[in-house]
Amino acid sequence: MAVPKSKVSKQRRNTRRANWKITNPDNGKCPQCGEPKLSHRACRKCGYYANKQVIEVAAEQN
């Protein structure tokens, strides 16, 4: 059975446990329209991915 050789301090224990937090995804800019978009996904504004139009986007209605 595993037995610790010495006591783990509260700071060391809490530092180890503090790394579970989630981070926000990085947003890039669409090269076609300049809108922010998630990486490796088609742009929702213009429908382009890797300089090709892959989604037909309807025009905005004001």
Side-chain angles (χ1 to χ4, degrees):
M1 185 160 126
V3 177
K5 287 195 179 246
S6 61
K7 178 179 176 178
V8 176
S9 68
K10 293 175 196 170
Q11 180 179 359
R12 186 174 292 268
R13 177 198 65 202
N14 293 342
T15 302
R16 184 177 62 244
R17 291 180 181 173
N19 291 321
W20 63 271
K21 293 179 184 172
I22 224 170
T23 59
N24 287 335
D26 292 334
N27 288 337
K29 285 190 175 181
C30 175
Q32 295 290 324
C33 64
E35 289 289 317
K37 73 172 195 75
L38 292 173
S39 60
H40 303 281
R41 285 163 179 82
C43 178
R44 291 177 170 222
K45 183 83 172 175
C46 63
Y48 275 77
Y49 179 74
N51 297 326
K52 298 176 198 166
Q53 186 156 10
V54 293
I55 299 172
E56 192 66 35
V57 180
E60 275 189 19
Q61 295 180 2
N62 291 331

